[in-house]
Structure formats: C-alpha cells, structure tokens
Amino acid sequence: MDSTPKTRVVLRIRLHEGKGDQYAQAYDLVHRGIVKADGFISSQLCRSLVDPDSWIVTSEWRSLDQYLAYLASEDFKARRVGLRECILEHESTQYAVVADVKP
C-alpha cells in the first residue's frame, strides 16, 4: 500500500468584475488537459453563492509531486492563459488528505 497521502489543492480566486463566464470557459480548456495529467484524481470549479466574482477550484491528486509537475508542464502553461486574464488575485494552498469519507 502506498503511504504517500493524496493531495487536495484549494485555489481561492477573486475575478475581475463580471469575468465569471469567461473564467468558466477558460477553465474548461484547462480541465481538458488536466484530466490527462499523471496523478490527477478530480477537480471542482465553484462560484460563491453571494459574490459572483469569488470562486474556488479544488483538485485532488495522488501526490504533491504530481500536482507540481503538472503546474510546471508546457501543457498547463499554454492552457492557463485565458484563466489569468480573468483573475484579479488568487491564493493556492495544498493539503495532505488525512481522511476521505464517502457514503
């Protein structure tokens, strides 16, 4: 059994006003590449219910190293251009998954 914990990445994003639809479309392009990345498990794009310019992206990876390798890849660098145009500010935090509860 692999003792390396899975990695959960939480990206908090503040968009330029009114850029939500554009950001969601750009995320779709990134998502098409990320699903092929080594170690990728899942990802969610979420918009705040009370502030349409506040978003989070969460993703789960088999390891932190695999996540960091994807961030450094030419594929990701090319795909993220559309995202960056929409973002006013962002913060990324990586966590080790210590419990995974499912129904």
Side-chain angles (χ1 to χ4, degrees):
M1 183 175 172
D2 186 1
S3 64
T4 304
K6 291 186 288 187
T7 298
R8 169 66 62 180
V9 179
V10 178
L11 178 61
R12 292 169 190 81
I13 304 155
R14 163 68 57 196
L15 298 179
H16 291 286
E17 187 174 342
K19 293 287 188 176
D21 289 342
Q22 182 179 338
Y23 184 81
Q25 290 174 356
Y27 175 82
D28 185 57
L29 177 62
V30 170
H31 185 257
R32 283 187 251 145
I34 202 171
V35 297
K36 301 175 200 169
D38 287 340
F40 174 75
I41 298 171
S42 67
S43 180
Q44 300 81 34
L45 175 64
C46 307
R47 182 183 59 233
S48 168
L49 294 172
V50 296
D51 180 357
D53 297 323
S54 179
W55 294 62
I56 63 168
V57 176
T58 64
S59 59
E60 190 169 359
W61 296 80
R62 287 191 189 88
S63 74
L64 178 60
D65 288 343
Q66 289 173 313
Y67 166 70
L68 295 175
Y70 182 69
L71 286 187
S73 73
E74 292 304 315
D75 180 71
F76 176 67
K77 290 176 184 177
R79 291 173 185 270
R80 74 179 181 187
V81 172
L83 294 174
R84 296 182 85 172
E85 295 172 354
C86 301
I87 296 172
L88 179 63
E89 59 188 19
H90 71 280
E91 175 187 11
S92 178
T93 308
Q94 298 82 38
Y95 300 90
V97 176
V98 296
D100 192 2
V101 179
K102 296 180 180 172

